[in-house]
Amino acid sequence: MAVRTTVRAAVVPAVGAPLEVTGIELPEPGPGQVRVGLAAAGVCHSDLSLSNGTMRVPVPAVLGHEGAGTVLSVGEGVTHVAPGDRVVLNWAPSCGACHACSLGEVWLCANALAGAANVHARRADDGTDLHPGLNVAAFAEETVVDAGCVLPCPDGIPLTDAALLGCAVLTGYGAVHHSAKVREGETVAVFGVGGVGLATLQAARIAGASKIVAVDVSPEKEELARAAGATDYLLASDTTAREIRALTGKQGVDVAVECVGRAATIRTAWESTRRGGRTTVVGIGGKDQQVTFNALEIFHWGRTLSGCVYGNADPARDLPVLAEHVRAGRLDLGSLVTERIALDGIPAAFENMLAGKGGRALVVFQ
């Protein structure tokens, strides 16, 4: 029988049920698997969406998809990492064989979440089988993942910072550089100043945007936004689009990035762009969030509205690029974090997200 180890983890027992921090039993890695001791894991809005059913995955599950740590052991056939290596978790590994992968669009891989259906571990108290929420189950002291879910951590970046590379930073950077393709001198508006929004602001600054307008419901986030690169800060209201046009010579911004996932915010972001402008939607909304347009305005404004999955990023390609920005001082990972917590603090972090408070909460493992 395979040796199993008990570790603490945050488990969602059912859709809509409160998160439970409990002991889970992890097996040793099998062929093609890697066991990782977590150093840190970011608390992302997608984790909240998984727990409340906005995004569907098999439950009960161990949540957490943004993390970094150290390889503890590897299964047969794993050669790209070894025990002792520092790694970043990749929650959406591409299969390399589906239609999207054949087009080079690995962020749309049809099989990226296939691992979420697997049994990842079991509860220590009653033996209940547990699934890995988004493949990697990072809300745990240790995790066992498929080999494709780990990438070498770039040199010179602390693991507690590197955890953010796995989702927030790849998404925000990719939204600006891959999806919206912001050019030097263009104007940008970012809606939602959470972890992804803060990364998006930094990415817009790195791209050389001439004006960067941050929009959020909370006045307390202005300092965070300006530190990340915002030149202007607006409190979200019914007049936000008009205010953005006033800041841009009555034209509107070249690019708007929506990081909230609400129909009203998506519509406002679209209205905030100039004629011919581009809106990229990063936020994940529910099926009930309906965005409407009339045919004449679509023709007249000539704007582009596009979805953005995982920043349209290829983690293997983009992690070294991000690391170079970090080492050069252009990208500040630590500034995205507004709270460092233990596993038990995740439910409160969810509440803060619902209330629109703070940037990224980071679970730090001792």
Side-chain angles (χ1 to χ4, degrees):
M1 179 178 294
V3 176
R4 304 182 75 92
T5 304
T6 299
V7 299
R8 294 176 75 242
V11 174
V12 57
V15 172
L19 212 63
E20 299 176 359
V21 176
T22 185
I24 66 168
E25 291 184 352
L26 279 175
E28 285 301 309
Q33 292 184 325
V34 178
R35 188 186 188 107
V36 178
L38 272 296
V43 182
C44 178
H45 203 281
S46 295
D47 297 308
L48 179 60
S49 296
L50 291 170
S51 70
N52 65 25
T54 299
M55 296 171 63
R56 294 285 185 175
V57 293
V59 290
V62 179
L63 298 185
H65 62 279
E66 179 184 86
T70 303
V71 174
L72 300 177
S73 57
V74 300
E76 181 183 351
V78 177
T79 58
H80 72 296
V81 293
D85 286 355
R86 303 177 336 126
V87 293
V88 175
L89 298 182
N90 173 22
W91 64 267
S94 54
C95 70
C98 70
H99 181 63
C101 286
S102 73
L103 297 175
E105 298 173 350
V106 297
W107 54 91
L108 298 179
C109 175
N111 301 306
L113 295 181
N118 296 336
V119 172
H120 162 73
R122 66 189 184 200
R123 289 185 67 126
D125 53 4
D126 60 13
T128 300
D129 287 340
L130 300 171
H131 301 278
L134 284 180
N135 284 328
V136 296
F139 287 167
E141 294 168 330
E142 298 178 14
T143 187
V144 175
V145 300
D146 289 340
C149 291
V150 294
L151 295 169
C153 179
D155 292 337
I157 301 179
L159 285 174
T160 48
D161 287 347
L164 303 168
L165 295 173
C167 184
V169 179
L170 273 173
T171 299
Y173 181 88
V176 168
H177 291 267
H178 301 323
S179 180
K181 294 182 171 62
V182 174
R183 299 181 289 268
E184 186 173 1
E186 288 193 311
T187 54
V188 177
V190 178
F191 290 77
V193 185
V196 173
L198 288 169
T200 303
L201 289 168
Q202 290 202 46
R205 173 176 47 75
I206 291 170
S210 60
K211 182 178 283 293
I212 305 171
V213 184
V215 182
D216 198 274
V217 297
S218 171
E220 287 77 21
K221 291 187 179 182
E222 180 172 359
E223 185 177 349
L224 282 172
R226 290 189 181 277
T231 58
D232 299 88
Y233 189 83
L234 297 176
L235 288 177
S237 72
D238 293 340
T239 62
T240 297
R242 191 184 313 158
E243 293 177 69
I244 289 176
R245 287 195 295 272
L247 289 170
T248 53
K250 299 183 180 180
Q251 297 300 310
V253 290
D254 297 297
V255 170
V257 182
E258 200 273 358
C259 304
V260 180
R262 292 183 63 248
T265 314
I266 294 169
R267 175 74 203 199
T268 299
W270 188 81
E271 292 177 352
S272 298
T273 63
R274 64 170 174 82
R275 198 174 185 188
R278 312 179 309 273
T279 298
T280 289
V281 179
V282 173
I284 301 172
K287 294 179 181 178
D288 61 330
Q289 296 289 314
Q290 298 292 318
V291 188
T292 60
F293 307 90
N294 68 59
L296 180 60
E297 65 179 330
I298 291 174
F299 162 77
H300 172 76
W301 289 103
R303 293 163 170 153
T304 300
L305 176 68
S306 61
C308 178
V309 178
Y310 203 8
N312 292 9
D314 178 347
R317 174 199 66 196
D318 291 329
L319 277 182
V321 175
L322 293 173
E324 185 54 38
H325 285 307
V326 173
R327 288 191 287 262
R330 293 183 292 266
L331 180 60
D332 183 358
L333 299 178
S335 68
L336 304 181
V337 179
T338 53
E339 187 179 19
R340 295 174 185 266
I341 60 175
L343 275 172
D344 306 86
I346 296 175
F350 281 178
E351 291 299 319
N352 285 338
M353 278 194 287
L354 286 170
K357 297 179 180 178
R360 203 42 136 219
L362 187 70
V363 179
V364 179
F365 298 91
Q366 301 299 324

